[in-house]
Amino acid sequence: MLGTFTTATPSKAAVLKISDFNFNDVDGNSLASVTITTLPTTGTLTFDGSAVKLAGVTYSAADIAAGKLVFTAGATAGAYTFGYTVSDGALSSLPSTATIYITSGTSTGAK
């Protein structure tokens, strides 16, 4: 499982998309859910407007597609990370690390 590379602007929210989680199922199944395994040490993950405070919580692919999972960094540029696994509803992946690069630019999206 590869890490995620998203570019965002300091202090602005980056809405996470299904494609940010690098899901690839050998059986052709769709992504069913994402479980946050480690929280970011800097920055904030929110789900539907509330801070994600516990690791181990699972979010459905439908909720992620609806834009409910969001990362917001502080005012400092740099690399921010959190851990996750993905599932097709039957099996889960090995843990992976999402890396969100905060730049001084204005673009937001997966790289």
Side-chain angles (χ1 to χ4, degrees):
M1 180 68 58
L2 298 173
T4 301
F5 304 94
T6 298
T7 302
T9 304
S11 301
K12 293 198 177 181
V15 177
L16 301 178
K17 303 177 295 297
I18 296 230
S19 60
D20 290 329
F21 292 97
N22 297 313
F23 178 77
N24 184 7
D25 189 85
V26 295
D27 299 323
N29 297 324
S30 297
L31 176 69
S33 63
V34 173
T35 300
I36 303 301
T37 58
T38 58
L39 298 174
T41 55
T42 306
T44 305
L45 273 175
T46 58
F47 177 76
D48 207 17
S50 297
V52 175
K53 295 183 179 183
L54 296 172
V57 178
T58 300
Y59 302 97
S60 73
D63 283 338
I64 293 168
K68 294 182 178 182
L69 190 60
V70 175
F71 178 80
T72 304
T76 306
Y80 298 80
T81 63
F82 63 89
Y84 69 93
T85 60
V86 293
S87 174
D88 64 4
L91 298 172
S92 293
S93 69
L94 293 173
S96 189
T97 300
T99 303
I100 300 174
Y101 293 100
I102 304 301
T103 66
S104 58
T106 58
S107 65
T108 300
K111 276 191 161 185

